[in-house]
Amino acid sequence: MILKDYTSLLLLFLINSVWTRTVRQDYDDLDPDHWSHYTSECPQECFCPPSFPNALYCDNKGLKEIPPIPARIWYLYLQNNQIETLSEKPFVNATHLRWINLNKNKITNSGIENGVLSKLKRLLYLFLEDNELEEVPAPLPVGLEQLRLARNKISRIPEGVFSHLENLTMLDLHQNSLLDSALQSDTFQGLNNLMQLNIAKNSLKKMPSSIPANTLQLFLDNNSIEVIPENYFSAIPKVTFLRLNYNKLSDDGIPPNGFNVSSILDLQLSHNQLTKIPPINAHLEHLHLDHNKIKSVNGTQICPVSIALEEDYGYYGNIPRLRYLRLDGNEIQPPIPLDIMICFRLLQAVVI
């Protein structure tokens, strides 16, 4: 199951890479006689590369408005401008858009014309990072695969805004102004294929409820989370990468087997208030516990399997898979206890 999830995640990025590269190769072979046609359609504020005519580069031009987008464009780059509004007019002919980068502009929710985004039926990637949004824009294109809204001022997520985004695999909301009250039990309803959810650098005090069941990567760094609810991860049985760095987790806030979850391969708990290592699963491969308040480490106590049984079965048994352990910034004095090495035989690096 874990291998299958890894393969799915890798395949997702490979497909995106190959798809973009294939489109570029197709247009590299175009007859130069056609280049003048593409150039004549190109907005004068932008750049239209002859070798990649379905891309339009309007980034870093000081634009305050979006120019008319030619019908052939799939990839639209508008980042690093002064754009404040999104209206329907520039996109009238742009019915084939797959990718829009609007990062680092001055777009507000009031500046987005109602329905302008949802009319982009073929849009797969929408980047709106570093703008002035105060809530997740709605409605959104139903075919979206990636939505990046980091570093805005988002404090509100409209009801049902994600309910029809069944193809969305990545949702990035980090470094906004989200409180616990903004994340209701049905906020993420409909995101049946979500693989990565990033809510780091917000103002959460609780673990968000109703995370989509297929989530593989959950990033919650730099919040104020104090407690992991009992059996929290049973609702997201595929979670593989979990980041909770820079929170307020203490020993009392973690249930006895809170992180003893077979799906988790990478667990990051740096910069919290732990005084001891919480129980972990034998499948865990990377554990970050630096900059807590841990004073000592007992390998026999934290070993997820019996050391005696491990010695009996050797490399053919269910030995712990931990390969990387970070413990620096605590109160632990070297050397590394011998029982740590006896338990975790696959360890390749220990930082202490």
Side-chain angles (χ1 to χ4, degrees), residues 196-241:
Q196 183 185 108
L197 177 60
N198 191 342
I199 326 178
K201 294 188 177 182
N202 278 280
S203 300
L204 305 180
K205 294 183 178 180
K206 301 178 181 179
M207 295 291 285
S209 60
S210 301
I211 299 296
N214 285 320
T215 302
L216 297 178
Q217 300 178 340
L218 179 59
F219 303 149
L220 292 164
D221 315 77
N222 293 89
N223 280 285
S224 298
I225 297 171
E226 299 180 356
V227 176
I228 306 295
E230 190 82 32
N231 300 319
Y232 179 84
F233 298 105
S234 62
I236 42 175
K238 297 182 180 182
V239 65
T240 304
F241 302 91

Side-chain angles (χ1 to χ4, degrees), residues 66-78:
I66 299 174
I69 311 302
R72 71 175 189 276
I73 298 303
W74 285 22
Y75 305 96
L76 178 58
Y77 298 89
L78 288 161

Side-chain angles (χ1 to χ4, degrees), residues 159-217:
E159 183 178 357
V161 66
F162 302 128
S163 60
H164 300 295
L165 304 187
E166 295 184 359
N167 295 326
L168 199 71
T169 59
M170 174 191 286
L171 175 58
D172 191 345
L173 288 163
H174 88 269
Q175 201 166 329
N176 277 285
S177 303
L178 293 171
L179 300 171
D180 295 319
S181 58
L183 305 180
Q184 301 299 317
S185 58
D186 60 351
T187 294
F188 302 112
Q189 184 176 347
L191 298 180
N192 299 327
N193 289 296
L194 195 70
M195 300 174 74
Q196 183 185 108
L197 177 60
N198 191 342
I199 326 178
K201 294 188 177 182
N202 278 280
S203 300
L204 305 180
K205 294 183 178 180
K206 301 178 181 179
M207 295 291 285
S209 60
S210 301
I211 299 296
N214 285 320
T215 302
L216 297 178
Q217 300 178 340

